[in-house]
Amino acid sequence: MASGILHRAMVYLGLVDDDYEEYDAYDEPQPVSRPGPRSYMPEPQDGGGAVAIRTLPRESPPEPMGGGLGGGGSLITSRPMTGAPSVRPIPAPVQNAKVHVVAPAKFADAQEIGDRFKNGQPVIVNLQSADRELGRRMIDFCSGVTYALGASMDKVADQVFLLTPSNVEVSAEEKRRLQERGLYRS
């Protein structure tokens, strides 16, 4: 019979049976008795041995939520509401926001776009003079920023994009001013 690595490889490949007959004695685990609710087991005074477990009472038992696999209990629990639900007003859109125009020459200009946009200012990104690779990267960046902030990105002219924050609405006067500069078409 082969020994060592060769034997293990043959067992792994199923070419020979594993003739492992020396099994260690297996002791069945003993069930652990848990103290009932609100019980307390004092800690041993001698400083060794057993560990005391104290259960804390719950205000109300958690209710399992639906779902779960195999019909068993779910790990997701619901908690009772501790206070009355609050209603928060949605801020009205800002009408008089002035649009900031950026014509990026390098990708580092993306920080200026992001900073203005995070502060709630609409941004026109003019990529007409940018090279193709920079334009692609800037469009990807602007798309990510608008998606992350729940805003909108609109193509307003050839290679010109308007980034509008969710709480801002570009006024008709501002659109007219941008149209005069060739940066906005109706």
Side-chain angles (χ1 to χ4, degrees):
M1 182 69 80
S3 64
I5 295 174
L6 183 59
H7 178 69
R8 283 185 277 172
M10 291 172 61
V11 168
Y12 178 76
L13 294 172
L15 300 174
V16 296
D17 288 332
D18 187 12
D19 45 321
Y20 190 81
E21 294 181 19
E22 294 180 26
Y23 293 103
D24 292 335
Y26 179 73
D27 295 330
E28 290 290 326
Q30 299 298 320
V32 178
S33 62
R34 301 190 107 171
R38 300 182 189 194
S39 66
Y40 176 75
M41 292 174 25
E43 292 192 19
Q45 299 298 327
D46 60 354
V51 176
I53 298 174
R54 178 177 58 140
T55 59
L56 299 175
R58 295 182 184 230
E59 294 171 11
S60 64
E63 300 172 12
M65 300 200 44
L69 298 173
S74 174
L75 296 177
I76 301 173
T77 59
S78 65
R79 297 179 186 213
M81 290 182 62
T82 56
S86 62
V87 177
R88 286 179 246 137
I90 298 173
V94 178
Q95 288 279 336
N96 57 359
K98 185 171 173 132
V99 177
H100 180 71
V101 179
V102 177
K106 56 190 180 302
F107 189 71
D109 295 335
Q111 183 173 0
E112 178 186 359
I113 295 168
D115 290 343
R116 297 279 184 153
F117 195 68
K118 281 192 316 185
N119 290 330
Q121 185 174 11
V123 179
I124 286 273
V125 181
N126 184 354
L127 300 172
Q128 292 173 338
S129 61
D131 65 78
R132 184 179 174 133
E133 183 62 29
L134 176 62
R136 183 177 298 140
R137 291 181 71 196
M138 294 303 282
I139 289 171
D140 289 345
F141 172 78
C142 294
S143 297
V145 167
T146 55
Y147 177 77
L149 296 177
S152 66
M153 178 176 169
D154 301 306
K155 186 173 185 177
V156 294
D158 185 41
Q159 296 294 312
V160 180
F161 299 89
L162 172 63
L163 312 179
T164 310
S166 58
N167 64 339
V168 176
E169 197 173 293
V170 179
S171 67
E173 178 185 322
E174 189 68 21
K175 287 179 183 177
R176 183 186 50 76
R177 188 180 70 80
L178 291 169
Q179 194 172 21
E180 289 172 359
R181 293 176 61 186
L183 299 174
Y184 193 90
R185 64 176 174 209
S186 302

